[in-house]
Amino acid sequence: MSDGVAGAIPKQARPHHAGHRERLRERARGAGIHHLPDYELLELFLFRSQPQGDVKPIAKALLTRFGSLAAVLAASVEDLMTVRAEDSRGRSKGVGAETALDLVALHEVSRRVTKEEANKRTVITSWTALLAYVRLSLQHEPREQFRVLYLDKKNQLILDEIQNRGTVDHAPVYPREVVRRALELSASAMIIVHNHPDHPSAITYGHA
């Protein structure tokens, strides 16, 4: 005989990706977007194209299919739309026409920005030119910075990037991130710059 107490109806389990979007955005805002791996950076962009659901499988499938973030953005709308992935419930989801067009548009924006920058790149042909460039940037900086200047094969500056800002006497850096960034930019050389705020005229350099 039943004791008359009805069993509680279990609540539907929340999908594993619930809250993932906001957590990823918080990490991007906190640690810095440049520290995100390629698939998470791609996820952030896909959030706009696909406002609902888990986009991580699609982001990873795109990188697997094309091999790199640059190759994903360089792909055609038709090729992008051939990519499919399964979500946590085993349902197949593909890259739709709108998502594909957004990715192609992002590539075109990147191409135009790169073209603009190429037309006004600083050329660092000597240590004198390097000293003039970095002293202008760092001589009044109150905290230690670890900067990397990425150069192309003509010694034109591709990017001057602050890898880390520290305290008045400490600026940690991660070599893996420096190398990964150089590969992304197809840099032929790197100049590593480190300042000393307590001695404004003292700047440490390294070339790779």
Side-chain angles (χ1 to χ4, degrees), residues 23-73:
R23 288 193 298 271
L24 181 53
R25 290 187 178 113
E26 284 296 326
R27 281 179 37 226
R29 287 189 286 263
I33 198 168
H34 57 281
H35 288 303
L36 297 180
D38 288 350
Y39 79 89
E40 289 188 335
L41 188 60
L42 194 52
E43 277 189 83
L44 281 176
F45 188 76
L46 292 175
F47 289 165
R48 308 294 179 181
S49 303
Q50 300 186 21
Q52 294 183 342
D54 185 9
V55 298
K56 183 185 293 184
I58 285 290
K60 290 188 172 182
L62 282 165
L63 290 168
T64 298
R65 164 69 173 78
F66 297 105
S68 70
L69 184 59
V72 170
L73 298 183

Side-chain angles (χ1 to χ4, degrees), residues 95-157:
V95 174
E98 290 186 5
T99 298
L101 182 59
D102 284 348
L103 291 170
V104 171
L106 179 59
H107 178 257
E108 179 61 16
V109 169
S110 301
R111 187 191 69 79
R112 295 187 187 188
V113 170
T114 301
K115 184 178 179 181
E116 288 178 4
E117 291 301 317
N119 291 333
K120 57 182 180 181
R121 282 183 186 172
T122 300
V123 179
I124 299 177
T125 56
S126 66
W127 285 109
T128 300
L130 172 63
L131 287 170
Y133 178 83
V134 297
R135 280 179 175 163
L136 182 63
S137 302
L138 290 171
Q139 62 184 347
H140 300 299
E141 176 58 45
R143 294 188 299 168
E144 285 204 354
Q145 287 186 5
F146 186 95
R147 300 171 76 124
V148 183
L149 278 57
Y150 298 95
L151 309 179
D152 65 14
K153 61 184 179 181
K154 296 181 180 180
N155 285 334
Q156 292 180 323
L157 183 63

Side-chain angles (χ1 to χ4, degrees), residues 174-186:
Y174 304 97
R176 181 175 60 185
E177 293 297 320
V178 174
V179 174
R180 181 180 66 84
R181 192 69 167 130
L183 293 173
E184 288 178 351
L185 296 168
S186 299

